[in-house]
């Protein structure tokens, strides 16, 4: 059976307050959604309120995603949001401009490995590169980036 999921970043203008998050969760559930990837919920909305809105509507978060630089700046917030909402994956997106070279990618891979090592047991890191025109060699990608199938 396939589950219907939504990446909530698509609803960013509707995720600016506790009340809006609760209403959006109700509407997602009414559409048959039972799975979400959390992204771009306004930071003024408390983690506990996000978790409560999901739980009340029987919606499971599988992941929290944001830009790599933002996750690195406030790592604890994203880990806590993922933990409180039952997510497994912490997804970072966008390769920083300073890392868009062969040498920069080597540095970035090291930073991703360090970030992954800081995750609590049961959480995993994934990368959504959101980068056009950047080619990774197949051997480098396969040997250094352990991407889930």
């Amino acid at each position: 059976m396939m589950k219907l999921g939504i990446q909530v970043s698509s609803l960013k203008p509707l995720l600016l307050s506790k009340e809006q998050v609760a209403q959006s969760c109700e509407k997602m559930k009414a559409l048959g959604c039972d799975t979400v990837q959390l992204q771009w919920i306004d930071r003024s909305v408390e983690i506990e309120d996000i978790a409560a809105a999901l739980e009340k509507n029987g919606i499971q978060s599988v992941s929290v995603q944001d830009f790599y630089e933002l996750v690195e700046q406030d790592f604890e917030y994203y880990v806590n949001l993922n933990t409180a909402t039952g997510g497994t994956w912490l997804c970072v997106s966008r390769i920083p401009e300073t890392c868009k070279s062969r040498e920069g990618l080597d540095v970035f891979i090291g930073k991703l490995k360090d970030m992954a090592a800081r995750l609590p047991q049961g959480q995993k890191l994934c990368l959504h590169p959101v980068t056009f025109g950047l080619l990774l060699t197949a051997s480098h990608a396969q040997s250094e980036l352990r991407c889930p199938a």
Side-chain angles (χ1 to χ4, degrees):
M1 177 182 192
M2 182 169 45
K3 292 186 171 202
L4 177 61
I6 295 175
Q7 183 178 21
V8 300
S9 61
S10 303
L11 306 174
K12 184 178 181 180
L14 305 174
L15 302 170
L16 303 176
S17 69
K18 173 183 173 178
E19 295 76 23
Q20 285 183 320
V21 169
Q23 291 168 355
S24 293
C25 286
E26 290 172 9
K27 289 177 183 179
M28 285 187 286
K29 188 62 177 183
L31 291 171
C33 175
D34 57 12
T35 307
V36 293
Q37 179 185 41
L38 300 177
Q39 181 179 14
W40 297 348
I41 297 172
D42 194 85
R43 292 292 292 270
S44 67
V45 181
E46 298 289 332
I47 289 174
E48 296 77 18
D49 294 328
I50 298 167
L54 293 173
E55 183 177 344
K56 177 182 177 188
N57 291 283
I59 298 173
Q60 172 65 48
S61 173
V62 294
S63 175
V64 171
Q65 178 177 328
D66 215 323
F67 298 126
Y68 167 79
E69 296 95 333
L70 295 177
V71 173
E72 184 57 40
Q73 288 171 11
D74 200 357
F75 184 74
E76 188 174 317
Y77 169 80
Y78 292 96
V79 168
N80 289 341
L81 178 58
N82 211 24
T83 299
T85 58
T88 299
W89 293 95
L90 176 58
C91 185
V92 295
S93 59
R94 200 167 57 185
I95 297 172
E97 288 296 321
T98 58
C99 296
K100 291 183 181 177
S101 67
R102 173 63 188 188
E103 297 78 19
L105 285 175
D106 288 337
V107 170
F108 187 55
I109 289 168
K111 290 180 178 186
L112 291 175
K113 287 180 177 181
D114 291 344
M115 184 179 279
R118 292 169 31 211
L119 288 170
Q121 186 171 354
Q123 289 191 29
K124 302 173 186 178
L125 183 70
C126 63
L127 170 66
H128 179 75
V130 192
T131 302
F132 302 100
L134 177 66
L135 299 176
L136 295 174
T137 64
S139 62
H140 185 47
Q142 289 175 353
S143 65
E144 294 295 329
L145 293 175
R146 303 287 183 231
C147 299

